[in-house]
Amino acid sequence: MAARRSPAEPTLLYLIKQVELAIRARLDEILRPAGLTALQYTALTVLEGHSDLTASQLARRSFVTAQSTADLVNALLDRGLVERHRDPADRRRLVLALTRAGHQVLDEYRPRVANLESAMLRGLDGSETAALRANILTCWQALMGDSGDGHRN
């Protein structure tokens, strides 16, 4: 059972959403010089860790709807940051992978994104950060159901 909170105290759902909005705004600011959005950057990081994904797999792992995936993928294809090719394991499927340019963009912006995460965690020590990560993962699994597919970004 959840602990009672005062009516003036914001809910955890509200606070988590505010953190998400702040992160997204700061990421958009950081990535603007590269002409990328936070969602496009997320898709690139997903492909970095999991090459040869279908567009629908990329959508699920990048937190975008199937409908908006086409626009996201087309933007990344047009910029030469990803490529589409036949899946070596199933020649009927088209899959996506990072290009050299995609890897270069990630390498260039990774330190800035890491600095944002460090700034967010500035008030926490190592064990508090680890506990926060574990607790957020537990909350996410409770809402999504632990499918056990092990996909993480």
Side-chain angles (χ1 to χ4, degrees):
M1 174 161 248
R4 287 203 173 259
R5 63 176 181 78
S6 113
E9 186 179 11
T11 65
L12 281 173
L13 293 177
Y14 178 83
L15 291 173
I16 289 168
K17 183 63 176 179
Q18 292 305 306
V19 170
E20 187 244 338
L21 290 171
I23 290 168
R24 182 121 172 226
R26 294 280 301 274
L27 278 175
D28 283 338
E29 195 176 291
I30 289 167
L31 299 167
R32 191 170 294 121
L36 290 174
T37 66
L39 290 175
Q40 290 169 339
Y41 181 84
T42 298
L44 293 176
T45 63
V46 168
L47 285 171
E48 181 181 41
H50 309 279
S51 194
D52 292 347
L53 295 177
T54 65
S56 63
Q57 290 170 324
L58 178 63
R60 281 191 301 277
R61 293 176 184 213
S62 300
F63 317 111
V64 296
T65 63
Q67 294 82 3
S68 59
T69 304
D71 291 338
L72 183 139
V73 168
N74 286 333
L76 296 175
L77 286 166
D78 290 347
R79 299 267 317 274
L81 300 175
V82 300
E83 65 181 6
R84 186 178 281 152
H85 60 266
R86 297 265 171 218
D87 184 348
D90 181 352
R91 304 291 298 160
R92 295 170 293 170
R93 288 183 353 148
L94 288 173
V95 292
L96 299 161
L98 276 183
T99 62
R100 180 175 299 217
H103 282 286
Q104 289 171 339
V105 165
L106 288 177
D107 290 344
E108 181 179 346
Y109 282 88
R110 191 179 332 276
R112 297 172 201 170
V113 172
N115 286 341
L116 173 59
E117 184 171 305
S118 293
M120 179 185 75
L121 298 171
R122 191 172 296 131
L124 304 176
D125 66 25
S127 65
E128 291 169 325
T129 298
L132 177 62
R133 181 181 307 279
N135 288 326
I136 289 173
L137 182 59
T138 298
C139 292
W140 176 68
Q141 289 170 337
L143 290 172
M144 300 305 291
D146 189 4
S147 63
D149 70 358
H151 80 264
R152 290 191 179 132
N153 189 17

